[in-house]
Amino acid sequence: QLQLVETGGDLVQAGGSLRLSCAAAGFILHNYDVAWFRQAPGKEREGISCVSTSGVGAKYSDSVKGRFTISRDNGKNMFYLEMSSLKPEDTAVYYCAADWNPHRTVCTGVPLKRSFAHWGLGTQVTVSP
């Protein structure tokens, strides 16, 4: 059974940093595009970053560009989201997602929910003023 599990969510002060991790179980991430999404209370789930199977050419939403970095470690079957200069508006549940794309990446821009078949359950990030 394919499973993604996020860890690393926490309460942090504005200006601080966090690192989210996503571990894959039951499948090998090597041929999967991976992405991070977030959903704030009362808002739609939004894509914030994705990266293709090669790990290059990462894409970011304007809201996180320059502050967040996505990375992957196929050897560990994990990927990450490094978050810095956090703002209260970054408060949300963060979800990792993956989709099998060995030949053609879906990470051509900000990730779209409909492009990803596999999802984690989310981890809460709260940024205090």
Side-chain angles (χ1 to χ4, degrees), residues 49-122:
S49 184
C50 69
V51 69
S52 66
T53 57
S54 67
V56 298
K59 306 297 184 185
Y60 300 92
S61 66
D62 288 342
S63 60
V64 307
K65 194 175 298 182
R67 301 187 298 122
F68 291 11
T69 302
I70 190 171
S71 62
R72 62 190 298 161
D73 187 336
N74 289 340
K76 293 184 178 180
N77 224 30
M78 296 185 68
F79 59 104
Y80 310 94
L81 186 69
E82 297 275 1
M83 306 186 293
S84 63
S85 302
L86 283 162
K87 306 174 182 179
E89 51 264 44
D90 294 319
T91 295
V93 177
Y94 284 70
Y95 298 88
C96 62
D99 201 73
W100 191 72
N101 291 299
H103 304 300
R104 183 178 178 183
T105 182
V106 296
C107 288
T108 56
V110 175
L112 302 175
K113 288 184 294 183
R114 64 174 182 265
S115 297
F116 289 85
H118 308 292
W119 292 82
L121 296 179

Side-chain angles (χ1 to χ4, degrees), residues 17-33:
S17 300
L18 276 177
R19 185 197 201 201
L20 304 183
S21 300
C22 183
F27 67 108
I28 306 299
L29 271 179
H30 178 71
N31 285 327
Y32 286 74
D33 289 336

